[in-house]
Amino acid sequence: MLEIKNLHASVEDKEILKGIDLKVNAGEVHAIMGPNGSGKSTLAEVIAGQEEFEVGEGNILLEGEDLEDLSPEERAHKGVFLSFQYPVEIPGVSVTNFMKTAINESRKAQGLEDMPANEMLKKIREKSEMLEIDRKFLSRSLNEGFSGGEKKRNEIFQMAMLEPKLAILDETDSGLDIDALRIVANGVNKLRSKDNAIIVITHYQRLLEYIVPDFVHVLYNGKIVKSGTKELALELEEKGYDWLKEEAAV
Amino acid sequence: MAYTEEELKKELETKEYEYGFYTDIESDTLPKGLNEDIVIAISKKKEEPDWMTEWRLEAFRAWKEMEEPEWANVTYNKPDFQDISYYSAPNKKPKYNSLDEVDPELLETFKKLGISVDEQKKLAGVAVDIVMDSVSVATTFKKTLAEKGIIFCSISEAIQEHPELVKKYLGTVVPQKDNFYAALNSAVFSDGSFCYIPKGVRCPMELSTYFRINQAGTGQFERTLVVADEGSYVSYLEGCTAPSRDENQLHAAVVELIALDDAEIKYSTVQNWYPGNDEGKGGVFNFVTKRGLCEKNAKISWTQVETGSAVTWKYPSCILKGDHSIGEFYSIAVTNNFQQADTGTKMIHLGKNTKSTIISKGISAGQSQNSYRGLVQVNSRAENARNFSQCDSLLMGNRCGAHTFPYIEVKNKTAQIEHEATTSKIGEDQIFYCNQRGIDTEKAIALIVNGFSKEVLNKLPMEFAVEAQKLLEISLEGSVG
Ligand SMILES: Nc1ncnc2c1ncn2[C@@H]1O[C@H](COP(=O)(O)OP(=O)(O)O)[C@@H](O)[C@H]1O
Ligand SMILES: [Mg+2]
């Protein structure tokens, strides 16, 4: 599904990603952990095509296709989805209208007609019920005045609506209380299939109890310094990151 | 319009003849310059009664003594008023023989707005055979209105046919001497619209200047007078979303609205005059005076979407004279490239318990300058006057400007005035967020701008709102990159 080879990325001449290798197969869930400022969000945004970052060496392949020359929206049309760490507000644009536009733009790119209104409504109803989202919420302006938790839940609602091939969830757990966390994690689990892949970025082991990863990677100072199975997450929870920092420094 | 092409053809064949406005005034232009003789000549050409000629002359004499205002936040080369021809009869000759000769950029815009080929021809000034011409549509339109006693015609026609109404109301809200441009307009206005709704009548359809008879050649100094008699209602649409190219650089229109006791006037405008090219060359100067008078319990709403013109100077206002009267102003002003707009409103509270609402949305892109200028004035006798103003500015890029000049003058302690203002910028992060969801940058901007303008777009009649929305998208095309 996704293959990243020796990826370097910088912003304003400051190198943030310093050679990342990562392979994610269809049907897998990978977790990326690591201390603040290590480059997790940068990696997520570079995959999504954020042009603010300059990609030096390296490649990102999605189903064998190099993404280098594709714009963010083209990557989205190919099935890349990013649940943002900090979702932005768009005043005056309702969640429903935003989703309608997003879905129809992707369909247009695939040469399809707009989704018929009744089909759209059915889908909205289904996905909002799955994530226990109040219908009134969907007519509110996108993220405007949403609580931290509401924003994150709304990101996962969008994921459910768009049904991406590769979903990257950047600290989706922050801001969620325990009940919301369970609902969101359940939603994500329902979206798991053998045809798609999910990358979960998180600080805490807590989320990984609900969304159980196949692999765990530790990103530190722009590099993946350790990879393992879900037990690695437990180890990190216990010991913190310092031992890895020391290891990486050698 | 539920009209078949055939019906239209037939109608036109007979009616065009019957209403032969265009006969023998072809290519009939007065020499350049402005003096009393020219004013008299204009009045003569229009076969106006003496009182009208005298009225124009009074305006001209006042204008001569006036100075062009300089307080607005706009800079431009002042027009040479002696280098303009003030009367040019409607020209029947088409500008082009076929659509192939028309500027492809203009046609592209028409297409995006979803304008039919026949309409495109008409708007671009291409010779048309017999197609949907406004003349025939307007004729049937007029019949329906006449049944209700509604008068809707050109102001020239009104001066001939309804002199008592024109004489009674013309210049009562915007006096001849009101300001430099209004005085100029009063002296030389070429044509415009007149509308009268009788007592207690609810006008059954949106009145649109688009369908008004004798449309051609009224652009430069247009004069509009709308009178809603006691307890009546009318919704009036001015302009159209199709881009208007005009060789006339200076436009100075006057619009007067009169809402008598318990009457309501909704006046919606979409203004899309040629803004000049992307280097700031050419483009229309649009200096408009619009004002409405509310008697007891009356209500006037101005809604405007301004996307065109190189320079706009425009303040639709309400004089809330009657107790319990209501004034509203909803505005979207878009400036791009080198456009300059100084627009806003005045709400003059004279009566008791009068209420006004101002919602202004300014969108600036390119190197344009967009200013809101508003005055809320509460007179000493206006007990319990209330105003709510909200002015939001949206900036695109770093080279444009948004300015807000709210003036508040309160002479009565019971007044309640609220003012809110915000300035925001379309953020790279908002665009990236949309991109990530599969929405390209152009569409993302349209989405954000429409969201920003929603409260005002919602005030427009449905069909107009859809067109206006498309227009906003087109006006801002290529403004981020
Ligand atoms: N746009 C940017 N401009 C400058 N520095 C940035 C930018 N984005 C991220 N960084 C820097 O890159 C590093 C990694 O940031 P980030 O990817 O957000 O880390 P994480 O998500 O792991 O906390 C930090 O030092 C951060 O300050
Ligand atoms: Mg982060």
Side-chain angles (χ1 to χ4, degrees), chain A residues 72-73 77 88-93 97-98 101-102 105 108 142, chain B residues 394 396 425-453 472-473 476-480:
Chain A
E73 60 271 24
H77 298 156
V88 301
E89 299 179 0
I90 306 187
V93 177
N97 186 19
F98 185 71
T101 310
E105 287 297 297
K108 198 163 80 190
L142 188 68
Chain B
L394 185 68
M396 301 169 68
K425 225 171 150 175
I426 293 193
E428 303 276 338
D429 53 345
Q430 284 175 315
I431 305 252
F432 180 63
Y433 188 89
C434 293
N435 289 162
Q436 206 302 305
R437 299 301 188 246
I439 301 166
D440 69 26
T441 301
E442 205 93 71
K443 190 88 191 171
I445 289 170
L447 199 66
I448 295 165
V449 165
N450 277 323
F452 174 79
S453 317
L472 290 181
E473 290 179 28
L476 291 167
E477 242 169 40
S479 55
V480 161

Side-chain angles (χ1 to χ4, degrees), chain B residues 68-86:
Chain B
E68 206 172 346
E70 298 201 356
W71 43 261
N73 187 25
V74 293
T75 47
Y76 56 93
N77 289 325
K78 290 193 177 142
D80 178 354
F81 293 98
Q82 295 304 335
D83 193 39
I84 295 173
S85 170
Y86 288 87

Side-chain angles (χ1 to χ4, degrees), chain A:
Chain A
M1 172 72 59
L2 177 75
E3 196 175 355
I4 297 176
K5 290 192 268 191
N6 190 29
L7 183 69
H8 290 253
S10 53
V11 61
E12 292 154 8
D13 294 328
K14 179 182 157 202
E15 189 163 59
I16 298 170
L17 302 182
K18 303 170 179 170
I20 299 223
D21 290 281
L22 182 66
K23 196 164 178 209
V24 180
N25 295 311
E28 292 176 352
V29 173
H30 289 235
I32 296 180
M33 304 181 77
N36 271 334
S38 53
K40 302 182 300 292
S41 293
T42 303
L43 176 62
E45 295 199 1
V46 168
I47 296 170
Q50 170 62 283
E51 278 145 17
E52 206 179 312
F53 300 104
E54 193 167 333
V55 176
E57 269 176 88
N59 308 83
I60 306 170
L61 306 176
L62 184 73
E63 297 189 303
E65 184 188 1
D66 197 327
L67 296 182
E68 189 176 342
D69 294 329
L70 298 186
S71 65
E73 60 271 24
E74 286 167 327
R75 296 179 195 207
H77 298 156
K78 293 205 181 287
V80 175
F81 178 88
L82 171 58
S83 167
F84 285 81
Q85 183 175 0
Y86 304 108
V88 301
E89 299 179 0
I90 306 187
V93 177
S94 69
V95 176
T96 308
N97 186 19
F98 185 71
M99 269 299 85
K100 191 181 95 190
T101 310
I103 287 178
N104 284 334
E105 287 297 297
S106 284
R107 287 173 71 99
K108 198 163 80 190
Q110 277 136 34
L112 297 170
E113 298 276 297
D114 281 1
M115 183 180 278
N118 54 350
E119 201 179 311
M120 184 81 73
L121 279 175
K122 194 170 146 250
K123 193 161 181 171
I124 289 175
R125 195 173 306 134
E126 198 185 296
K127 305 298 183 188
S128 57
E129 273 166 21
M130 178 178 90
L131 291 161
E132 298 180 31
I133 289 173
D134 188 343
R135 291 294 258 339
K136 265 186 260 156
F137 184 83
L138 301 173
S139 58
R140 283 172 58 185
S141 288
L142 188 68
N143 291 325
E144 198 182 27
F146 287 18
S147 71
E150 284 172 331
K151 284 184 185 171
K152 296 304 172 73
R153 196 187 296 211
N154 179 41
E155 292 290 289
I156 301 307
F157 170 68
Q158 294 186 37
M159 171 182 165
M161 290 294 293
L162 292 165
E163 301 175 338
K165 273 191 205 139
L166 173 71
I168 307 166
L169 313 185
D170 192 356
E171 301 208 16
T172 300
D173 48 343
S174 62
L176 292 179
D177 60 37
I178 192 73
D179 292 329
L181 184 73
R182 201 176 296 131
I183 293 162
V184 165
N186 277 340
V188 172
N189 285 331
K190 278 188 197 145
L191 297 169
R192 279 175 85 159
S193 84
K194 64 177 182 12
D195 300 319
N196 60 26
I198 301 173
I199 297 175
V200 181
I201 296 172
T202 181
H203 274 299
Y204 306 105
Q205 143 73 12
R206 195 177 66 154
L207 176 68
L208 303 180
E209 282 170 20
Y210 297 98
I211 305 174
V212 182
D214 300 297
F215 299 96
V216 175
H217 310 276
V218 181
L219 187 65
Y220 173 64
N221 196 15
K223 277 187 189 154
I224 290 182
V225 293
K226 199 164 184 73
S227 295
T229 53
K230 63 175 191 284
E231 282 73 27
L232 177 58
L234 286 170
E235 201 178 343
L236 288 167
E237 184 93 338
E238 229 171 83
K239 298 206 258 174
Y241 292 109
D242 287 346
W243 60 285
L244 281 172
K245 289 182 189 171
E246 279 157 31
E247 223 168 82
V250 204

Side-chain angles (χ1 to χ4, degrees), chain B residues 289-451:
Chain B
T289 307
K290 289 183 162 177
R291 198 173 302 148
L293 178 76
C294 287
E295 295 287 355
K296 216 168 67 205
N297 238 345
K299 177 175 172 183
I300 289 180
S301 293
W302 298 100
T303 306
Q304 57 174 27
V305 179
E306 301 274 323
T307 63
S309 298
V311 181
T312 303
W313 180 101
K314 181 175 178 184
Y315 316 91
S317 305
C318 297
I319 301 171
L320 304 171
K321 179 173 163 230
D323 294 349
H324 302 281
S325 61
I326 298 173
E328 294 175 338
F329 174 75
Y330 303 102
S331 168
I332 302 169
V334 180
T335 54
N336 198 353
N337 298 316
F338 289 87
Q339 282 176 274
Q340 307 174 64
D342 193 301
T343 154
T345 185
K346 282 187 216 166
M347 293 291 174
I348 313 292
H349 293 255
L350 302 176
K352 295 188 179 68
N353 300 308
T354 46
K355 237 167 69 179
S356 63
T357 304
I358 298 171
I359 310 279
S360 161
K361 304 274 180 178
I363 301 160
S364 354
Q367 305 189 37
S368 66
Q369 296 297 326
N370 203 329
S371 304
Y372 167 82
R373 187 182 301 278
L375 168 67
V376 176
Q377 195 184 64
V378 178
N379 203 268
S380 57
R381 288 185 309 275
E383 296 287 321
N384 297 317
R386 287 213 307 231
N387 164 267
F388 174 76
S389 303
Q390 183 186 327
C391 305
D392 299 323
S393 309
L394 185 68
L395 296 167
M396 301 169 68
N398 296 319
R399 290 178 304 167
C400 53
H403 317 271
T404 310
F405 306 100
Y407 304 95
I408 297 169
E409 293 169 15
V410 178
K411 297 208 180 95
N412 185 307
K413 282 198 199 111
T414 60
Q416 282 181 44
I417 311 280
E418 274 180 84
H419 179 89
E420 287 175 11
T422 66
T423 300
S424 50
K425 225 171 150 175
I426 293 193
E428 303 276 338
D429 53 345
Q430 284 175 315
I431 305 252
F432 180 63
Y433 188 89
C434 293
N435 289 162
Q436 206 302 305
R437 299 301 188 246
I439 301 166
D440 69 26
T441 301
E442 205 93 71
K443 190 88 191 171
I445 289 170
L447 199 66
I448 295 165
V449 165
N450 277 323

Side-chain angles (χ1 to χ4, degrees), chain B residues 86-246:
Chain B
Y86 288 87
Y87 184 86
S88 164
N91 202 335
K92 201 190 175 186
K93 229 174 91 198
K95 278 198 273 191
Y96 311 102
N97 291 314
S98 83
L99 272 183
D100 302 337
E101 296 169 29
V102 178
D103 181 359
E105 203 185 307
L106 186 66
L107 292 181
E108 190 54 34
T109 312
F110 282 155
K111 232 186 272 159
K112 285 183 194 153
L113 285 165
I115 293 169
S116 74
V117 174
D118 287 343
E119 283 289 276
Q120 289 182 27
K121 287 186 183 172
K122 196 182 104 197
L123 293 164
V126 173
V128 276
D129 313 324
I130 297 174
V131 289
M132 190 183 119
D133 188 283
S134 59
V135 174
S136 56
V137 177
T139 309
T140 21
F141 204 73
K142 233 176 144 174
K143 223 188 296 172
T144 320
L145 296 178
E147 281 162 17
K148 298 234 168 204
I150 295 167
I151 304 167
F152 183 40
C153 61
S154 73
I155 193 118
S156 315
E157 203 179 328
I159 291 167
Q160 305 293 342
E161 317 253 319
H162 309 282
E164 69 300 338
L165 284 173
V166 177
K167 213 167 162 176
K168 183 166 173 194
Y169 293 109
L170 188 73
T172 56
V173 188
V174 180
Q176 290 130 296
K177 301 171 198 165
D178 189 78
N179 67 68
F180 184 84
Y181 306 114
L184 178 65
N185 174 289
S186 301
V188 303
F189 71 83
S190 34
D191 215 330
S193 305
F194 174 77
C195 168
Y196 173 80
I197 316 289
K199 267 185 202 166
V201 170
R202 234 191 123 77
C203 184
M205 49 183 88
E206 317 270 354
L207 291 187
S208 163
T209 47
Y210 194 61
F211 288 121
R212 210 205 52 239
I213 293 184
N214 226 349
Q215 172 88 350
T218 58
Q220 197 173 9
F221 299 104
E222 211 170 334
R223 184 99 199 178
T224 302
L225 177 59
V226 178
V227 182
D229 212 328
E230 290 171 22
S232 69
Y233 167 84
V234 63
S235 166
Y236 190 97
L237 311 182
E238 174 196 59
C240 76
T241 48
S244 320
R245 296 247 164 144
D246 195 299

